[in-house]
Structure formats: structure tokens, C-alpha cells
Amino acid sequence: YQRRVHGITHHHAAAVVAKDAGLKEISAKLKISLARHCDVIPADKAFYDAGMAAKAMGWLNVAFVFLNRFLDISELMEEPDAESTMLDNTAFENTDIPHLFPLPKEPTVSVDDLEEARSWVLTASLDKDLEQKLSFINCSKCNHPNMDSFITCKSCSTKFEECVITGYPILSTADRVQCRACKIAANRNDWNKYVTKLKMCPWCGNPQSSFT
């Protein structure tokens, strides 16, 4: 559990560092991957942050699903004896994002941000060209479609190594690289983008360079 909390803390901090460095896609992926931990961190904030990060990247289908879930959580929090399992989980069926998680006792997202999200979701719901679904990739072991940020396959339960840069899975050993100092793993392309800009490993802080 402590290692998991350490990983969550790292992802939060790394998302801020990446965004400040202009690495918007890496920051967005980290925030989306944090939704896997909505049973540990405040669920309303986890889904809100993931949705807004996706929206900023133009991944509007993903943004819609996350922000819609955020709104559902916010409404459910107002009901006595409510539980997360009362939420419709259809959109998150082939993901490793928990369906069972504690509802925050108090909102952790401001009223203004809530209303902004609600307004956007309402407008987006009228867009016939917007597919209201997450992005999926196939498990490299069993070929089952999973949300692209998955770590544990919903079908075969294979657990993949997590990229330290994005929190997304390392699906190919050919694309796997590791920090020369602490040996933590990453996807090659994401590692190269990060260290080209920031010149260090995000986990141990040691100076690093890209891989060819």
C-alpha cells in the first residue's frame, strides 16, 4: 500500500512538472492514469482532473466520459447512504478503474469548476459527432480491448509494467527502457520526450539522456 501511495504522489507531482515544462500530453496521461486510484484519492477530483486534462488535449470523447462520471459522483454525494456501486459503470466496463470506491464526504472540486464542467458536458452531449466512449487498445497477451491506460487486463488479468513517465502500460519489451540509475521502466518514446526536456529521471532525479 505504501508503494502505491508513493506512486500516486509521484504521478501528481510529475503531472505538474510535465505541464510546466510544456509536456501537455504526458501530464494528461498521468492525470488519466490517476483515475485508477479513485479508491485512494478523492474520486470527484480524480475524475474531474482526468476529464479536464483530456479536454485540454482535444481528446473530447475521453473528456466527456470522465467529466460525466465526475458529475454523477457529485450528485451522488448529496444523497444519504449513497455508494459508488450505484453509478452506471457501462463506460468503464473494460477498464481497471474501480467501480467500488469511497464517496468523498465533502466536494474537493469548487462549485465554479463543477458548473463549468456541467455546462461543457451538456453542450458536448448534443454533438452528434462526439463518440461518448474511452480510447481502447488490445491486450498484447490475449487481444482483449482495454482502456489505453490499463495496467491489469480485464480479461486475462495480466498485469503490465507501468511506465514511470505516463502511468500507462509498457506493452512491448522492444519499447521498454529503464533509468540508468534507479532502473525504473518506461516506454521509450515517452522517456525520450521527458528527458530531452527535463534532463533527469522523474523517479530518482538523477541526470539522464534519451535512448536511440
Side-chain angles (χ1 to χ4, degrees), residues 10-27:
H10 161 265
H11 282 1
H12 270 299
V16 174
V17 170
K19 186 177 181 182
D20 289 347
L23 299 168
K24 279 176 58 180
E25 183 175 356
I26 286 173
S27 180

Side-chain angles (χ1 to χ4, degrees), residues 11-12 50 68 74 77 82 124 131 165:
H11 282 1
H12 270 299
N68 199 43
S74 298
M77 284 165 56
E131 290 189 275
I165 304 295

Side-chain angles (χ1 to χ4, degrees), residues 141-153:
K141 298 291 184 184
C142 72
N143 220 34
H144 183 78
N146 290 269
M147 182 184 169
D148 58 4
S149 65
F150 83 107
I151 293 299
T152 304
C153 176

Side-chain angles (χ1 to χ4, degrees), residues 130-141:
L130 181 69
E131 290 189 275
Q132 299 173 11
K133 65 178 186 177
L134 298 168
S135 296
F136 290 88
I137 52 173
N138 291 342
C139 171
S140 59
K141 298 291 184 184

Side-chain angles (χ1 to χ4, degrees), residues 42-196:
D44 58 340
K45 188 79 164 69
F47 286 98
Y48 173 80
D49 284 349
M52 293 305 288
K55 180 172 171 281
M57 283 302 300
W59 304 335
L60 302 185
N61 56 326
V62 176
F64 183 91
V65 174
F66 275 109
L67 290 176
N68 199 43
R69 169 54 61 97
F70 157 65
L71 294 175
D72 288 345
I73 290 170
S74 298
E75 288 178 14
L76 199 59
M77 284 165 56
E78 297 174 5
E79 298 181 18
D81 303 320
E83 294 182 356
S84 66
T85 50
M86 297 164 71
L87 294 164
D88 178 7
N89 205 48
T90 307
F92 292 92
E93 198 171 1
N94 284 309
T95 77
D96 52 4
I97 294 172
H99 189 203
L100 178 62
F101 52 83
L103 295 171
K105 290 182 171 59
E106 298 291 335
T108 60
V109 176
S110 73
V111 174
D112 286 347
D113 287 343
L114 170 67
E115 290 307 321
E116 182 188 350
R118 180 177 282 128
S119 176
W120 184 82
V121 167
L122 183 62
T123 303
S125 68
L126 303 174
D127 184 351
K128 294 176 182 176
D129 295 326
L130 181 69
E131 290 189 275
Q132 299 173 11
K133 65 178 186 177
L134 298 168
S135 296
F136 290 88
I137 52 173
N138 291 342
C139 171
S140 59
K141 298 291 184 184
C142 72
N143 220 34
H144 183 78
N146 290 269
M147 182 184 169
D148 58 4
S149 65
F150 83 107
I151 293 299
T152 304
C153 176
K154 194 74 174 178
S155 178
C156 69
S157 299
T158 298
K159 187 171 184 179
F160 291 88
E161 209 169 7
E162 187 177 1
C163 173
V164 70
I165 304 295
T166 62
Y168 277 46
I170 302 172
L171 296 175
S172 165
T173 52
D175 292 331
R176 182 189 185 277
V177 297
Q178 61 183 32
C179 173
R180 298 171 181 89
C182 71
K183 308 303 181 188
I184 199 158
N187 282 306
R188 183 188 306 272
N189 286 345
D190 296 313
W191 174 271
N192 287 349
K193 286 176 191 173
Y194 188 92
V195 300
T196 298

